[in-house]
Amino acid sequence: MASTLGGGNEGRSEIAFFDLETAVPTEPGKPFAILEFGAILVCPRKLVELHSYSTLVRPTDLSLISTLSKRRSGITREGVLSAPTFVEVADQVYNILHGRIWAGHNIKRFDCVRIRDAFAEIGHSPPEPKAVIDSLSLLSQKFGKRAGDMKMASIAKYFELGDQAHRSLEDVRMNLEVVKHCATVLFLESSVPDILTEMSWFSPRRSPRTKSNEKSLPNGVKESSASSSSSSKTDQSLSSVDATDKETHPIVSLLTECSEDDTCSGIDPSDITTLISKLHIGTPLQTDAAETVTREQDESTPSPNPDAKEESFLRVDEVSVSSIRGSLVPFKRGGSLRMKLFHDDEPLQLYRDSLKVRFGISRKYLDHTGLPRLNIVVDLPPDLCKILEEANDVARNLSVESGTSSGWRLTVMRKKGFANYPTARLQISSESNGDDPTEVYQREESSETVQKLDFSSNEFEELESALLPGTLVDAYFSLEPYDYQKMAGIRLAARKLVIHMIK
C-alpha cells in the first residue's frame, strides 16, 4: 500500500482522479472484484498532484483470483492475498472521494458503478461526488477522434507519453497528463483557429485513417499527394475558414461567451472548475440535436442490421401526437378483443437514438410462465416523453371506456423528488419468453463495426455487462397495451437495441 494522503474532511476543492483494477466475475450474478484502487488529488487551478493513495485489495471471494497468476500489470495472486479487504480500506477510499469532483477515463460506465457496488456489498453508504468528469466522453466530444479509438493507451501513444501500465496509480497520473495535453492543443487551436483547427476540430469524430491523401515526412509533417496547384488552393482555403465552423470550437465558444456575458466577468482563467462548468461537460453522455441530425444524415454510418426492415419505425420527430389513436381489435384467433395503438393508420412503433440507461438489466418481473422478463430503465428526452404521455392518455381512456376494472400503470415514471427526470422501462424479450427475441447489437464508437450480441435463455451476464447504467442505446420499440391480472398499461417492447460501445 502507498499513501501520501492526509486525513480529515476539510477542503473538498481538489479533483479526485481515480482508477480501479478488477477481476471479472466467473459466475452469473457475482459482482466484479476490486483488486486495486488508486487515486490522486489534483489542484484545479494549477493541475498539480497534491496527494496520492493506492492499495491492492483482497476480494472476499477468493475464487475470483484462483486463476490469477500474473497479469501484464504485475498484479499477482500472492500480492492480492496479502492485501487488506475492501472493508478495511473503505474509510480511506470514502475520505478520498466523498464530496469531491471525480475524474477518470470511462469512469461513468465502469469505475463509479464498481465503487458503489463495493460499498453496497459491505453495507456502507457510498461516497458521492460533487460532479463527474469522464475524460473518455469529454475528449471524444471536444478533442475528436484524432487519437483513434480514444482508449487511454491510444491517446498516450498519440502524445508519446509511454505505455499504459494498467496499475491504478500510474494510470490516473497518465490520465491527468492526457487531459493536460489535450487541453493545451485545444487552447493553441483557439489562438490560431484559421490554421490549426482546419486539420482537427472541424471533423471532431474523424478517425486518422480518413487522411488517405497524406503521407508522413521524417519530421512528422503531413504532405499532401496533390499537385502544387492544388496546394495553393489549399493554402487559400486555410486563410478563409468558415466563420461558423470556427465558432463551434469549444474554447473559442467559451471565450466568446465569456466576453459577451456579464456573469463571466469574475472568472479566474486559471480556475479549471469554473471553465469546466462553462464548457457544459457535466453531462457528457447527452447528445444534442445537431449531432443527432449529423449521424442520421451520414451515409457512411452503416445500418445496425442491413437486412432488417426499419421503415416501419417512426423517428420521434416524425410523430404528431394528435395522430395517435387507440382501437380495440380481435386477437388473431378471434374471440376477445385487445387494444392496439396507431399513428394515423399504422401501428405505433418508434425509433429513438442515444437513450441513456438509468438502471441496467432487471429480472424482477416475470412473464405468464414464471420466467424472468428482462428490462432496462432509460432516461426519457422531452420529445419522446411527450409522445409516451399522449399514448398513455389515449390507451387509458380507451381502457376505461371498455369497462375494465384493472388498475393502470403509467408508462412514464417519475419518482418522488425527481419529477424532472422521467424514465420508462424497455422490455427485452428472449426465446425463453416465447416472444420474438429482441435483436441486440453492439456498435463500437471508434469504428463502423456492428456485432450482433447473442444471449441464450439462461445466460444473460453478457447482456447485463453491456447494458450498464450510463450506456447509450439506439432503441426500436413498439407500444403494446396490456391488461393482465388486474393491472393494465403500455408495454414498451424493444424489437432492436444498438448498444454504443467504447472500448
Side-chain angles (χ1 to χ4, degrees), residues 363-418:
R363 309 188 198 186
K364 177 180 178 181
Y365 297 97
L366 305 179
D367 63 14
H368 63 281
T369 66
L371 293 172
R373 186 176 289 281
L374 306 178
N375 64 84
I376 57 175
V377 175
V378 297
D379 291 334
L380 293 181
D383 53 1
L384 179 56
C385 186
K386 181 180 179 181
I387 294 171
L388 294 183
E389 288 184 322
E390 177 65 22
N392 179 86
D393 292 343
V394 168
R396 188 175 188 176
N397 291 337
L398 184 56
S399 178
V400 172
E401 293 173 2
S402 68
T404 181
S405 59
S406 298
W408 187 264
R409 181 176 286 121
L410 295 176
T411 309
V412 176
M413 300 181 291
R414 285 185 168 88
K415 298 293 184 182
K416 186 177 180 180
F418 297 91

Short mmCIF file of all heavy atoms in Angstrom, two decimals, residues 363-418:
data_model
loop_
_atom_site.label_atom_id
_atom_site.label_comp_id
_atom_site.label_asym_id
_atom_site.label_seq_id
_atom_site.Cartn_x
_atom_site.Cartn_y
_atom_site.Cartn_z
N ARG A 363 -34.34 -8.49 -13.57
CA ARG A 363 -35.13 -9.71 -13.75
C ARG A 363 -36.29 -9.75 -12.75
O ARG A 363 -36.83 -10.81 -12.44
CB ARG A 363 -34.25 -10.94 -13.56
CG ARG A 363 -32.96 -10.92 -14.38
CD ARG A 363 -32.25 -12.24 -14.28
NE ARG A 363 -30.85 -12.14 -14.67
CZ ARG A 363 -30.03 -13.17 -14.78
NH1 ARG A 363 -30.49 -14.39 -14.52
NH2 ARG A 363 -28.78 -13.02 -15.14
N LYS A 364 -36.66 -8.58 -12.25
CA LYS A 364 -37.68 -8.51 -11.19
C LYS A 364 -39.03 -9.01 -11.66
O LYS A 364 -39.76 -9.66 -10.91
CB LYS A 364 -37.78 -7.06 -10.70
CG LYS A 364 -38.85 -6.83 -9.66
CD LYS A 364 -38.87 -5.36 -9.24
CE LYS A 364 -39.98 -5.09 -8.24
NZ LYS A 364 -40.02 -3.65 -7.84
N TYR A 365 -39.39 -8.70 -12.89
CA TYR A 365 -40.73 -9.01 -13.38
C TYR A 365 -40.73 -10.35 -14.12
O TYR A 365 -39.79 -10.68 -14.84
CB TYR A 365 -41.24 -7.90 -14.29
CG TYR A 365 -41.39 -6.58 -13.57
CD1 TYR A 365 -40.38 -5.62 -13.63
CD2 TYR A 365 -42.52 -6.32 -12.81
CE1 TYR A 365 -40.50 -4.42 -12.95
CE2 TYR A 365 -42.65 -5.11 -12.12
CZ TYR A 365 -41.64 -4.17 -12.20
OH TYR A 365 -41.76 -2.99 -11.53
N LEU A 366 -41.82 -11.11 -13.93
CA LEU A 366 -41.95 -12.43 -14.55
C LEU A 366 -43.05 -12.40 -15.60
O LEU A 366 -44.01 -11.63 -15.51
CB LEU A 366 -42.28 -13.49 -13.49
CG LEU A 366 -41.31 -13.59 -12.30
CD1 LEU A 366 -41.79 -14.66 -11.33
CD2 LEU A 366 -39.90 -13.90 -12.77
N ASP A 367 -42.93 -13.28 -16.60
CA ASP A 367 -43.99 -13.39 -17.59
C ASP A 367 -45.02 -14.40 -17.11
O ASP A 367 -44.95 -14.92 -15.99
CB ASP A 367 -43.42 -13.75 -18.97
CG ASP A 367 -42.74 -15.11 -18.98
OD1 ASP A 367 -42.92 -15.90 -18.03
OD2 ASP A 367 -42.02 -15.39 -19.96
N HIS A 368 -45.99 -14.73 -17.97
CA HIS A 368 -47.08 -15.61 -17.56
C HIS A 368 -46.61 -17.04 -17.30
O HIS A 368 -47.33 -17.83 -16.68
CB HIS A 368 -48.18 -15.61 -18.63
CG HIS A 368 -47.71 -16.15 -19.96
ND1 HIS A 368 -46.96 -15.39 -20.84
CD2 HIS A 368 -47.87 -17.36 -20.55
CE1 HIS A 368 -46.70 -16.10 -21.92
NE2 HIS A 368 -47.23 -17.29 -21.78
N THR A 369 -45.40 -17.37 -17.75
CA THR A 369 -44.87 -18.73 -17.50
C THR A 369 -43.97 -18.77 -16.26
O THR A 369 -43.48 -19.83 -15.90
CB THR A 369 -44.05 -19.21 -18.71
OG1 THR A 369 -42.87 -18.38 -18.85
CG2 THR A 369 -44.88 -19.14 -19.99
N GLY A 370 -43.77 -17.60 -15.62
CA GLY A 370 -42.91 -17.56 -14.44
C GLY A 370 -41.45 -17.32 -14.75
O GLY A 370 -40.62 -17.28 -13.84
N LEU A 371 -41.10 -17.12 -16.02
CA LEU A 371 -39.72 -16.84 -16.40
C LEU A 371 -39.45 -15.34 -16.33
O LEU A 371 -40.36 -14.53 -16.48
CB LEU A 371 -39.44 -17.36 -17.82
CG LEU A 371 -39.48 -18.88 -18.00
CD1 LEU A 371 -39.39 -19.25 -19.47
CD2 LEU A 371 -38.36 -19.54 -17.21
N PRO A 372 -38.19 -14.95 -16.08
CA PRO A 372 -37.90 -13.51 -15.97
C PRO A 372 -38.12 -12.78 -17.28
O PRO A 372 -37.76 -13.27 -18.34
CB PRO A 372 -36.43 -13.49 -15.57
CG PRO A 372 -35.87 -14.80 -16.02
CD PRO A 372 -36.99 -15.78 -15.87
N ARG A 373 -38.75 -11.62 -17.17
CA ARG A 373 -38.92 -10.75 -18.33
C ARG A 373 -37.89 -9.64 -18.19
O ARG A 373 -38.02 -8.76 -17.33
CB ARG A 373 -40.34 -10.18 -18.41
CG ARG A 373 -40.60 -9.40 -19.68
CD ARG A 373 -42.03 -8.94 -19.77
NE ARG A 373 -42.94 -10.02 -20.03
CZ ARG A 373 -43.16 -10.57 -21.22
NH1 ARG A 373 -42.47 -10.14 -22.27
NH2 ARG A 373 -44.02 -11.54 -21.38
N LEU A 374 -36.87 -9.68 -19.01
CA LEU A 374 -35.76 -8.74 -18.89
C LEU A 374 -36.19 -7.34 -19.26
O LEU A 374 -37.01 -7.15 -20.17
CB LEU A 374 -34.60 -9.18 -19.79
CG LEU A 374 -34.08 -10.61 -19.61
CD1 LEU A 374 -32.97 -10.89 -20.61
CD2 LEU A 374 -33.61 -10.85 -18.20
N ASN A 375 -35.62 -6.35 -18.59
CA ASN A 375 -35.94 -4.97 -18.92
C ASN A 375 -34.84 -4.04 -18.43
O ASN A 375 -34.04 -4.40 -17.57
CB ASN A 375 -37.29 -4.55 -18.33
CG ASN A 375 -37.27 -4.56 -16.81
OD1 ASN A 375 -36.84 -3.59 -16.19
ND2 ASN A 375 -37.73 -5.65 -16.19
N ILE A 376 -34.79 -2.86 -19.03
CA ILE A 376 -33.89 -1.80 -18.59
C ILE A 376 -34.72 -0.54 -18.41
O ILE A 376 -35.79 -0.40 -19.02
CB ILE A 376 -32.74 -1.54 -19.59
CG1 ILE A 376 -33.31 -1.19 -20.98
CG2 ILE A 376 -31.80 -2.73 -19.66
CD1 ILE A 376 -32.24 -0.80 -21.99
N VAL A 377 -34.23 0.37 -17.59
CA VAL A 377 -34.89 1.66 -17.40
C VAL A 377 -34.02 2.72 -18.06
O VAL A 377 -32.81 2.78 -17.83
CB VAL A 377 -35.09 1.98 -15.91
CG1 VAL A 377 -35.65 3.39 -15.73
CG2 VAL A 377 -36.03 0.96 -15.27
N VAL A 378 -34.64 3.55 -18.92
CA VAL A 378 -33.90 4.56 -19.66
C VAL A 378 -34.44 5.95 -19.33
O VAL A 378 -35.62 6.12 -19.00
CB VAL A 378 -33.97 4.33 -21.18
CG1 VAL A 378 -33.31 3.02 -21.56
CG2 VAL A 378 -35.42 4.37 -21.68
N ASP A 379 -33.56 6.94 -19.39
CA ASP A 379 -33.98 8.33 -19.26
C ASP A 379 -34.73 8.75 -20.51
O ASP A 379 -34.36 8.36 -21.63
CB ASP A 379 -32.77 9.25 -19.07
CG ASP A 379 -32.09 9.03 -17.73
OD1 ASP A 379 -32.78 8.59 -16.79
OD2 ASP A 379 -30.88 9.31 -17.62
N LEU A 380 -35.77 9.56 -20.33
CA LEU A 380 -36.59 9.99 -21.46
C LEU A 380 -36.28 11.44 -21.84
O LEU A 380 -36.46 12.35 -21.03
CB LEU A 380 -38.08 9.88 -21.11
CG LEU A 380 -38.64 8.47 -20.90
CD1 LEU A 380 -40.13 8.55 -20.58
CD2 LEU A 380 -38.41 7.59 -22.13
N PRO A 381 -35.84 11.66 -23.07
CA PRO A 381 -35.71 13.04 -23.55
C PRO A 381 -37.10 13.64 -23.73
O PRO A 381 -38.09 12.91 -23.88
CB PRO A 381 -34.97 12.89 -24.88
CG PRO A 381 -35.24 11.49 -25.32
CD PRO A 381 -35.42 10.68 -24.08
N PRO A 382 -37.23 14.97 -23.73
CA PRO A 382 -38.55 15.60 -23.78
C PRO A 382 -39.40 15.18 -24.97
O PRO A 382 -40.62 15.01 -24.83
CB PRO A 382 -38.21 17.10 -23.83
CG PRO A 382 -36.88 17.20 -23.16
CD PRO A 382 -36.14 15.95 -23.53
N ASP A 383 -38.79 15.03 -26.16
CA ASP A 383 -39.59 14.70 -27.34
C ASP A 383 -40.25 13.33 -27.20
O ASP A 383 -41.44 13.15 -27.51
CB ASP A 383 -38.75 14.78 -28.62
CG ASP A 383 -37.47 13.96 -28.55
OD1 ASP A 383 -37.21 13.30 -27.52
OD2 ASP A 383 -36.69 13.98 -29.53
N LEU A 384 -39.50 12.35 -26.71
CA LEU A 384 -40.07 11.01 -26.54
C LEU A 384 -41.05 10.98 -25.37
O LEU A 384 -42.08 10.30 -25.43
CB LEU A 384 -38.94 10.00 -26.31
CG LEU A 384 -39.36 8.54 -26.08
CD1 LEU A 384 -40.22 8.03 -27.23
CD2 LEU A 384 -38.14 7.66 -25.91
N CYS A 385 -40.75 11.71 -24.31
CA CYS A 385 -41.63 11.75 -23.14
C CYS A 385 -43.02 12.26 -23.54
O CYS A 385 -44.04 11.71 -23.10
CB CYS A 385 -41.02 12.65 -22.07
SG CYS A 385 -41.91 12.64 -20.51
N LYS A 386 -43.07 13.29 -24.37
CA LYS A 386 -44.34 13.86 -24.80
C LYS A 386 -45.17 12.82 -25.55
O LYS A 386 -46.39 12.70 -25.35
CB LYS A 386 -44.08 15.09 -25.67
CG LYS A 386 -45.34 15.79 -26.17
CD LYS A 386 -44.96 17.00 -27.02
CE LYS A 386 -46.21 17.71 -27.55
NZ LYS A 386 -45.85 18.89 -28.39
N ILE A 387 -44.53 12.06 -26.42
CA ILE A 387 -45.25 11.04 -27.20
C ILE A 387 -45.79 9.95 -26.29
O ILE A 387 -46.95 9.51 -26.42
CB ILE A 387 -44.32 10.45 -28.28
CG1 ILE A 387 -43.94 11.51 -29.30
CG2 ILE A 387 -44.96 9.25 -28.96
CD1 ILE A 387 -42.85 11.09 -30.26
N LEU A 388 -44.95 9.47 -25.37
CA LEU A 388 -45.38 8.37 -24.49
C LEU A 388 -46.51 8.79 -23.56
O LEU A 388 -47.41 8.00 -23.26
CB LEU A 388 -44.18 7.86 -23.68
CG LEU A 388 -43.06 7.20 -24.48
CD1 LEU A 388 -41.97 6.68 -23.55
CD2 LEU A 388 -43.59 6.07 -25.36
N GLU A 389 -46.48 10.03 -23.09
CA GLU A 389 -47.56 10.50 -22.22
C GLU A 389 -48.87 10.62 -22.99
O GLU A 389 -49.94 10.31 -22.45
CB GLU A 389 -47.17 11.84 -21.59
CG GLU A 389 -46.08 11.70 -20.53
CD GLU A 389 -45.74 13.00 -19.84
OE1 GLU A 389 -45.74 14.05 -20.51
OE2 GLU A 389 -45.48 12.96 -18.62
N GLU A 390 -48.80 11.06 -24.24
CA GLU A 390 -50.02 11.13 -25.05
C GLU A 390 -50.55 9.73 -25.32
O GLU A 390 -51.77 9.48 -25.22
CB GLU A 390 -49.73 11.85 -26.37
CG GLU A 390 -50.92 11.92 -27.32
CD GLU A 390 -52.07 12.76 -26.79
OE1 GLU A 390 -51.83 13.61 -25.91
OE2 GLU A 390 -53.21 12.55 -27.27
N ALA A 391 -49.67 8.79 -25.67
CA ALA A 391 -50.09 7.40 -25.90
C ALA A 391 -50.70 6.81 -24.63
O ALA A 391 -51.70 6.06 -24.69
CB ALA A 391 -48.90 6.57 -26.36
N ASN A 392 -50.12 7.13 -23.49
CA ASN A 392 -50.64 6.65 -22.21
C ASN A 392 -52.07 7.15 -21.98
O ASN A 392 -52.95 6.38 -21.58
CB ASN A 392 -49.73 7.13 -21.08
CG ASN A 392 -50.21 6.70 -19.71
OD1 ASN A 392 -49.91 5.62 -19.23
ND2 ASN A 392 -50.98 7.57 -19.04
N ASP A 393 -52.32 8.44 -22.26
CA ASP A 393 -53.65 9.01 -22.06
C ASP A 393 -54.67 8.38 -23.00
O ASP A 393 -55.80 8.06 -22.60
CB ASP A 393 -53.61 10.53 -22.27
CG ASP A 393 -52.81 11.24 -21.18
OD1 ASP A 393 -52.56 10.62 -20.13
OD2 ASP A 393 -52.42 12.41 -21.40
N VAL A 394 -54.26 8.19 -24.26
CA VAL A 394 -55.17 7.59 -25.24
C VAL A 394 -55.55 6.17 -24.81
O VAL A 394 -56.73 5.79 -24.81
CB VAL A 394 -54.52 7.57 -26.64
CG1 VAL A 394 -55.32 6.69 -27.61
CG2 VAL A 394 -54.39 8.98 -27.19
N ALA A 395 -54.56 5.38 -24.44
CA ALA A 395 -54.81 3.98 -24.06
C ALA A 395 -55.61 3.90 -22.76
O ALA A 395 -56.51 3.06 -22.63
CB ALA A 395 -53.49 3.24 -23.92
N ARG A 396 -55.31 4.76 -21.82
CA ARG A 396 -56.02 4.72 -20.53
C ARG A 396 -57.49 5.08 -20.70
O ARG A 396 -58.38 4.43 -20.12
CB ARG A 396 -55.35 5.69 -19.55
CG ARG A 396 -55.88 5.59 -18.13
CD ARG A 396 -55.09 6.49 -17.21
NE ARG A 396 -55.45 6.28 -15.81
CZ ARG A 396 -54.85 6.89 -14.80
NH1 ARG A 396 -53.85 7.74 -15.04
NH2 ARG A 396 -55.23 6.66 -13.57
N ASN A 397 -57.76 6.11 -21.51
CA ASN A 397 -59.16 6.49 -21.74
C ASN A 397 -59.92 5.38 -22.43
O ASN A 397 -61.08 5.09 -22.07
CB ASN A 397 -59.22 7.77 -22.59
CG ASN A 397 -58.71 8.99 -21.83
OD1 ASN A 397 -58.72 9.01 -20.60
ND2 ASN A 397 -58.28 10.01 -22.56
N LEU A 398 -59.29 4.73 -23.41
CA LEU A 398 -59.96 3.63 -24.10
C LEU A 398 -60.18 2.46 -23.16
O LEU A 398 -61.21 1.77 -23.24
CB LEU A 398 -59.12 3.19 -25.31
CG LEU A 398 -59.73 2.10 -26.20
CD1 LEU A 398 -61.10 2.50 -26.73
CD2 LEU A 398 -58.79 1.79 -27.37
N SER A 399 -59.23 2.23 -22.25
CA SER A 399 -59.37 1.15 -21.28
C SER A 399 -60.57 1.40 -20.37
O SER A 399 -61.35 0.48 -20.08
CB SER A 399 -58.09 1.03 -20.45
OG SER A 399 -58.20 0.04 -19.46
N VAL A 400 -60.73 2.64 -19.92
CA VAL A 400 -61.87 2.98 -19.06
C VAL A 400 -63.18 2.82 -19.82
O VAL A 400 -64.16 2.27 -19.30
CB VAL A 400 -61.72 4.43 -18.53
CG1 VAL A 400 -62.99 4.87 -17.80
CG2 VAL A 400 -60.51 4.54 -17.61
N GLU A 401 -63.18 3.28 -21.07
CA GLU A 401 -64.40 3.17 -21.87
C GLU A 401 -64.78 1.72 -22.15
O GLU A 401 -65.96 1.40 -22.32
CB GLU A 401 -64.20 3.91 -23.20
CG GLU A 401 -64.06 5.41 -23.06
CD GLU A 401 -63.69 6.09 -24.36
OE1 GLU A 401 -63.58 5.36 -25.39
OE2 GLU A 401 -63.49 7.32 -24.36
N SER A 402 -63.79 0.83 -22.17
CA SER A 402 -64.09 -0.59 -22.44
C SER A 402 -64.66 -1.30 -21.22
O SER A 402 -65.06 -2.46 -21.31
CB SER A 402 -62.82 -1.30 -22.91
OG SER A 402 -61.88 -1.39 -21.85
N GLY A 403 -64.67 -0.62 -20.06
CA GLY A 403 -65.28 -1.20 -18.87
C GLY A 403 -64.35 -2.03 -18.00
O GLY A 403 -64.82 -2.71 -17.09
N THR A 404 -63.06 -1.97 -18.20
CA THR A 404 -62.15 -2.77 -17.38
C THR A 404 -62.09 -2.21 -15.96
O THR A 404 -62.23 -1.00 -15.74
CB THR A 404 -60.73 -2.78 -17.99
OG1 THR A 404 -59.89 -3.58 -17.17
CG2 THR A 404 -60.15 -1.38 -18.04
N SER A 405 -61.84 -3.09 -15.01
CA SER A 405 -61.70 -2.68 -13.61
C SER A 405 -60.24 -2.73 -13.17
O SER A 405 -59.93 -2.56 -11.99
CB SER A 405 -62.54 -3.60 -12.71
OG SER A 405 -62.12 -4.95 -12.85
N SER A 406 -59.35 -2.96 -14.10
CA SER A 406 -57.92 -3.08 -13.78
C SER A 406 -57.33 -1.72 -13.41
O SER A 406 -57.76 -0.68 -13.91
CB SER A 406 -57.15 -3.67 -14.96
OG SER A 406 -57.60 -4.97 -15.26
N GLY A 407 -56.33 -1.76 -12.54
CA GLY A 407 -55.58 -0.55 -12.25
C GLY A 407 -54.69 -0.20 -13.43
O GLY A 407 -54.41 -1.05 -14.28
N TRP A 408 -54.24 1.05 -13.46
CA TRP A 408 -53.44 1.50 -14.61
C TRP A 408 -52.03 1.85 -14.16
O TRP A 408 -51.83 2.62 -13.22
CB TRP A 408 -54.08 2.71 -15.29
CG TRP A 408 -53.38 3.10 -16.55
CD1 TRP A 408 -52.43 4.04 -16.71
CD2 TRP A 408 -53.57 2.51 -17.84
NE1 TRP A 408 -52.00 4.10 -18.02
CE2 TRP A 408 -52.69 3.17 -18.74
CE3 TRP A 408 -54.40 1.51 -18.34
CZ2 TRP A 408 -52.63 2.85 -20.09
CZ3 TRP A 408 -54.34 1.19 -19.69
CH2 TRP A 408 -53.46 1.86 -20.55
N ARG A 409 -51.04 1.30 -14.84
CA ARG A 409 -49.63 1.59 -14.56
C ARG A 409 -49.13 2.60 -15.59
O ARG A 409 -49.18 2.36 -16.80
CB ARG A 409 -48.80 0.31 -14.62
CG ARG A 409 -47.32 0.54 -14.31
CD ARG A 409 -46.53 -0.76 -14.28
NE ARG A 409 -46.81 -1.53 -13.07
CZ ARG A 409 -47.30 -2.76 -13.05
NH1 ARG A 409 -47.59 -3.38 -14.18
NH2 ARG A 409 -47.50 -3.38 -11.91
N LEU A 410 -48.66 3.75 -15.12
CA LEU A 410 -48.22 4.81 -16.01
C LEU A 410 -47.01 4.38 -16.84
O LEU A 410 -46.11 3.69 -16.35
CB LEU A 410 -47.86 6.07 -15.22
CG LEU A 410 -49.03 6.74 -14.47
CD1 LEU A 410 -48.50 7.91 -13.65
CD2 LEU A 410 -50.09 7.22 -15.44
N THR A 411 -46.99 4.81 -18.09
CA THR A 411 -45.87 4.48 -18.98
C THR A 411 -44.62 5.28 -18.60
O THR A 411 -43.52 4.74 -18.55
CB THR A 411 -46.24 4.79 -20.44
OG1 THR A 411 -47.50 4.17 -20.75
CG2 THR A 411 -45.19 4.28 -21.39
N VAL A 412 -44.80 6.56 -18.33
CA VAL A 412 -43.69 7.42 -17.93
C VAL A 412 -43.60 7.43 -16.41
O VAL A 412 -44.58 7.72 -15.72
CB VAL A 412 -43.89 8.86 -18.46
CG1 VAL A 412 -42.78 9.78 -17.96
CG2 VAL A 412 -43.94 8.85 -19.98
N MET A 413 -42.43 7.09 -15.90
CA MET A 413 -42.23 7.01 -14.46
C MET A 413 -41.54 8.27 -13.96
O MET A 413 -40.54 8.71 -14.52
CB MET A 413 -41.39 5.78 -14.11
CG MET A 413 -42.01 4.46 -14.55
SD MET A 413 -41.01 3.02 -14.12
CE MET A 413 -39.61 3.23 -15.22
N ARG A 414 -42.09 8.83 -12.90
CA ARG A 414 -41.48 9.99 -12.24
C ARG A 414 -41.41 9.71 -10.74
O ARG A 414 -42.42 9.74 -10.05
CB ARG A 414 -42.28 11.26 -12.50
CG ARG A 414 -42.11 11.83 -13.91
CD ARG A 414 -42.85 13.16 -14.04
NE ARG A 414 -42.49 13.87 -15.25
CZ ARG A 414 -43.08 13.71 -16.41
NH1 ARG A 414 -44.08 12.85 -16.51
NH2 ARG A 414 -42.71 14.40 -17.48
N LYS A 415 -40.22 9.45 -10.27
CA LYS A 415 -40.03 9.15 -8.85
C LYS A 415 -40.20 10.43 -8.03
O LYS A 415 -39.92 11.53 -8.48
CB LYS A 415 -38.65 8.56 -8.61
CG LYS A 415 -38.41 7.23 -9.31
CD LYS A 415 -39.29 6.13 -8.74
CE LYS A 415 -38.97 4.78 -9.37
NZ LYS A 415 -39.84 3.71 -8.86
N LYS A 416 -40.66 10.25 -6.79
CA LYS A 416 -40.84 11.38 -5.89
C LYS A 416 -39.51 12.10 -5.70
O LYS A 416 -38.51 11.49 -5.37
CB LYS A 416 -41.38 10.88 -4.54
CG LYS A 416 -41.73 12.01 -3.58
CD LYS A 416 -42.31 11.47 -2.29
CE LYS A 416 -42.67 12.61 -1.33
NZ LYS A 416 -43.25 12.10 -0.06
N GLY A 417 -39.56 13.41 -5.91
CA GLY A 417 -38.35 14.21 -5.78
C GLY A 417 -37.55 14.31 -7.07
O GLY A 417 -36.58 15.06 -7.14
N PHE A 418 -37.94 13.52 -8.11
CA PHE A 418 -37.22 13.53 -9.38
C PHE A 418 -38.20 13.69 -10.54
O PHE A 418 -38.08 13.05 -11.58
CB PHE A 418 -36.42 12.24 -9.56
CG PHE A 418 -35.34 12.05 -8.52
CD1 PHE A 418 -35.61 11.38 -7.34
CD2 PHE A 418 -34.07 12.56 -8.72
CE1 PHE A 418 -34.63 11.20 -6.38
CE2 PHE A 418 -33.09 12.40 -7.77
CZ PHE A 418 -33.37 11.72 -6.59
#
